[in-house]
Structure formats: C-alpha cells, structure tokens
Amino acid sequence: QRAIPVVSHSVAPGIAYFLPETQSRGTPFTFTKEKTLKPIDLRRISPRNGTPQPLSPDLLEALRTTNTAQESTLILVQQRGLARFSLCAKCQMPLRCPHCATALSEAVGGHFRCLSCGYQTPLFPSCVQCGHMHFKSFGAGTQSIVRALERSGFPQRILTIDRDTQTKKSNFQTLAKALTQLDEKPAIIVATYESAYSLPFPPLGLIALIEPDQGLFYPDFQSEERLWRELRRFGGKLKRGGSLLIQTFEPESAFWTTWIKQSLTKTAAELLEERRLLHYPPYYRLIQL
C-alpha cells in the first residue's frame, strides 16, 4: 500500500511545528502593520474607590472608535460570573467550596458559587476561619465586564457568551442567530476563551484580552506556548487594520517585549533552547493519551 502524507494547517501552530523532524505544514499568523498588538499597563490605572476597574481608559477609547466605525468587538475573559475569587475582608482567607476546595466566585444574585462542581452558598455566607461576613472579590468575569460596559454607556448590543448562556437551548439559538447578524448589527461580544474558540465570528475590528498572561506566573513550562497560540488564534479573527489589545500587569515581560513581536521561527527557537537548557520534559515527543 502506498503511504499517504498527512498535512495539517493552522494559523496558530505549536512548538512542534518548528522542530526539524516535524512533518506538519501550515500558514502561521503573524502580527503586521495591518494587524497590530498593543499591551496596556494596568498598574498605571488608579483604582476608583479602592477597587480596580476591569476596563482601562485606553480600552474604552478603542471601543468608542470601533463603535463609531460600526464594527464588532470581542472581549475575552478567563471565566464567567462577576469575579475569579473572593477573600475574607478581615483575615484574607479565600472563600472555598466545601466539596472540592475550589475558590468560589461572586455571582449576580449576591451569593457565591463554585465553577467546578456547581455548589452555591446561601445569601449571607461567613468565613470558616473568623466568621466574618464581608468578602472582597478580585478579577473580572463576563458579568463584571458587561456591567462595566453598561456603566460606560455603550449604545450597541452586548452579547455574552459563556457556559451560563449556552446551557439552555433557547439561549443558544438566540445567540447563534445574533452571530449571523453581526455584519448588519454590530455588537460588543463578551466571552470566555473556551466558549469563543470555535464560534464563527466575522472579521472583527478589535479584540481585547483581559489579563491573558496569568498562566505565565505559574511553574508550567507550556504556559508561554499556550498564550502564544491563543493570541495568534484570535488574531486570525481580526480584519485588515484590526487591533489586539492586551490588559496586563506585566507589560515589560519578555513575552510582550520580544517574543510576540519577532518572527515565529526565531521565537520558537528561543523557547526550544530555553527548554533544552532547563531540561524540560519533551512532551511534544510523547504520545498524548
């Protein structure tokens, strides 16, 4: 039997694409003058009433410009709900799920819920360590972004795409219909990463990522590669002249100053050399089960 070659195409290939022995081929996406990437330093933004705002002034200005041009915008956040986690205002103890120990996030109804197992607290939970009943929430979820947009007075439609809006069949059908009308009725789309990966968006004028580099601060040798692929995967959804805005607390890191701006081949070579020097396990050579 004659061997048939298998060719894979991707706008966001992994590091394995650049290995000498790999047989994959594709057309990697690169940022150019027509499609730019701009990090926004969140440390320069003074919090209002002691609470950090989820949308920076630079991002709000870009949203107004896109709104004037009658173009759709995609805002990506890490998770749904109002916040990522909550701490006791007195002893700083994180509020955790009693079933799976996952950090609970604030919900719209005033209670807290677990995004892993679905556990939900009563309306007035107390800290298990000190009994205090006041908690401070940190990080932005889809619902907090929607609230910030509404306070900023954006007139166009706001579409929310996360697991909460996709559980009911009627909500999913309404969402699918709205996505097909984006060319005629532009909207601001607030979505989680997992929900927005495979949705058929038209070419967008602006894509904003809220703190996408959180994984870089954890000891995971593949965190740079995952973020690298996410940026190029979503960058492929931009129209000509579109922009990708990144809200980050670490704009001076090598990822934003060097790796994302230089050629793909050079960046991949640096990442592979770094892994070789640090003796990272070559998982790209193993069969993933």
Side-chain angles (χ1 to χ4, degrees):
Q1 296 180 356
R2 188 177 62 177
I4 301 177
V6 178
V7 181
S8 61
H9 292 269
S10 174
V11 297
I15 295 297
Y17 172 88
F18 298 94
L19 291 173
E21 63 271 19
T22 184
Q23 299 298 318
S24 60
R25 295 292 181 268
T27 307
F29 173 85
T30 56
F31 292 100
T32 62
K33 294 182 178 179
E34 291 78 18
K35 296 179 180 180
T36 59
L37 182 143
K38 176 185 177 184
I40 298 175
D41 188 357
L42 290 177
R43 293 173 303 184
R44 297 183 179 181
I45 303 171
S46 58
R48 184 171 55 186
N49 300 326
T51 304
Q53 301 303 307
L55 301 179
S56 64
D58 291 343
L59 177 54
L60 291 175
E61 183 62 29
L63 288 171
R64 294 187 182 96
T65 302
T66 308
N67 179 32
T68 303
Q70 293 294 307
E71 296 175 343
S72 295
T73 301
L74 175 62
I75 301 178
L76 294 165
V77 293
Q78 295 289 344
Q79 69 177 39
R80 63 192 192 277
L82 288 177
R84 293 197 306 271
F85 62 94
S86 300
L87 298 179
C88 175
K90 184 178 181 180
C91 67
Q92 307 301 314
M93 182 74 175
L95 185 62
R96 295 188 178 276
C97 174
H99 298 157
C100 62
T102 302
L104 299 180
S105 62
E106 185 180 1
V108 177
H111 55 267
F112 298 84
R113 62 177 177 173
C114 176
L115 299 181
S116 297
C117 68
Y119 168 78
Q120 184 172 300
T121 67
L123 287 179
F124 302 102
S126 59
C127 177
V128 296
Q129 180 167 307
C130 66
H132 198 64
M133 300 180 67
H134 180 62
F135 298 89
K136 292 183 179 180
S137 298
F138 296 89
T142 53
Q143 293 173 352
S144 61
I145 296 296
V146 171
R147 286 186 176 184
L149 290 172
E150 293 173 347
R151 289 196 301 265
S152 301
F154 284 92
Q156 70 261 57
R157 298 180 303 160
I158 299 177
L159 301 178
T160 304
I161 306 176
D162 55 21
R163 197 185 305 173
D164 294 333
T165 60
Q166 292 179 326
T167 52
K168 294 184 179 180
K169 181 179 179 181
S170 58
N171 293 343
F172 184 79
Q173 291 175 342
T174 303
L175 176 62
K177 182 178 180 181
L179 291 177
T180 59
Q181 298 175 346
L182 287 179
D183 289 331
E184 302 175 358
K185 299 179 180 179
I188 297 180
I189 307 165
V190 181
T192 56
Y193 290 83
E194 59 182 6
S195 300
Y197 273 141
S198 58
L199 290 179
F201 296 113
L204 302 169
L206 173 66
I207 298 179
L209 284 76
I210 309 299
E211 298 181 51
D213 53 356
Q214 298 173 15
L216 299 182
F217 309 115
Y218 297 95
D220 183 357
F221 75 96
Q222 287 186 322
S223 58
E224 295 96 344
E225 180 180 352
R226 281 196 293 268
L227 178 56
W228 190 45
R229 297 181 66 176
E230 284 178 353
L231 293 175
R232 288 184 161 84
R233 181 181 289 112
F234 287 113
K237 299 180 183 295
L238 289 171
K239 62 178 295 185
R240 185 180 180 86
S243 298
L244 190 67
L245 299 186
I246 308 297
Q247 289 195 167
T248 175
F249 285 100
E250 297 287 340
E252 72 279 356
S253 68
F255 191 94
W256 303 119
T257 58
T258 306
W259 289 344
I260 201 65
K261 294 182 179 181
Q262 65 189 7
S263 66
L264 293 177
T265 305
K266 186 176 181 180
T267 302
E270 292 181 3
L271 290 176
L272 290 171
E273 179 63 16
E274 177 181 314
R275 294 182 184 182
R276 187 187 67 82
L277 294 175
L278 296 178
H279 301 284
Y280 283 159
Y283 286 160
Y284 45 78
R285 299 174 184 267
L286 301 179
I287 298 176
Q288 297 183 356
L289 299 179

